[in-house]
Amino acid sequence: EPYCIFPVVELGMAGYYQGRTYQDGVDRPTKRFPNKQLFPEGSAGHLYGFDDLRLPGTRCVVLVESILNVLSLKKRFKQQGTPEIVPASCWQSSVSKHQWLTLVKARHLQEVCIFFDHDATAKAWDAAEQMLKRYNTRFRLTIAEMPPTCGPTTDPNDDVESAMQAFAARRCFNKMNRMIARLRR
């Protein structure tokens, strides 16, 4: 099967990778993950887009679930002329301790926006709550919610226009917004 390999570059070196197959007639590519013997920690120790987070002009990171989400949003932010907003993939709909600590260490960040696929919106709110309980964050923590425009598993690369609208409408994580999010479930 033909597939693409996406290297995860950290500090200028490939530290992890993810592969995706492409087949004619298949809506979505199939993920091919690395060998567990080579990478026992799996993806939890890595952020796709890590080196972009380190650029001095970066003010906001948008945490998404997949590499394709990163590529779609990165292209759109570039078209809009907003290089200070950088998408990064935390892989799936969770953020590991290592990934949070990586973000906390990025001193120039002013905002972290969690923007998971539509079916994982509740997990985004949960991740933000856990971050605030465990770590002292100096940046603004926001949540963007992907609308279900293309079905229950809509993600930012399925509908980039809706994704940009959802990002523009992101909300700060606080008790009131958390309660509203719970009521909407």
Side-chain angles (χ1 to χ4, degrees), residues 16-40:
Y16 185 72
Y17 71 90
Q18 184 186 80
R20 296 179 80 93
T21 62
Y22 289 90
Q23 302 171 4
D24 290 334
V26 176
D27 287 341
R28 293 182 167 271
T30 304
K31 295 176 186 172
R32 294 281 202 183
F33 293 96
N35 184 309
K36 293 289 184 191
Q37 292 173 333
L38 290 174
F39 299 99

Side-chain angles (χ1 to χ4, degrees), residues 133-154:
K133 282 182 183 177
R134 294 181 182 167
Y135 307 105
N136 182 17
T137 60
R138 71 198 171 321
F139 43 73
R140 191 174 115 181
L141 189 56
T142 60
I143 309 294
E145 297 183 4
M146 190 67 194
T149 56
C150 298
T153 60
T154 301

Side-chain angles (χ1 to χ4, degrees), residues 125 171-183:
W125 286 96
R171 294 182 287 154
C172 283
F173 183 88
N174 59 41
K175 289 181 182 181
M176 179 61 84
N177 285 337
R178 174 66 165 146
M179 187 171 48
I180 292 167
R182 283 184 176 154
L183 291 173

Side-chain angles (χ1 to χ4, degrees), residues 43-88:
S43 59
H46 305 278
L47 285 169
Y48 183 78
F50 174 84
D51 279 2
D52 289 343
L53 296 176
R54 299 177 63 236
L55 297 173
T58 302
R59 299 289 175 249
C60 174
V61 61
V62 182
L63 286 180
V64 293
E65 292 186 42
S66 77
I67 290 172
L68 296 180
N69 296 156
V70 170
L71 297 176
S72 296
L73 291 176
K74 188 174 186 175
K75 179 180 177 182
R76 187 51 57 100
F77 288 134
K78 184 177 181 179
Q79 288 171 342
Q80 288 185 340
T82 52
E84 69 279 3
I85 303 171
V86 174

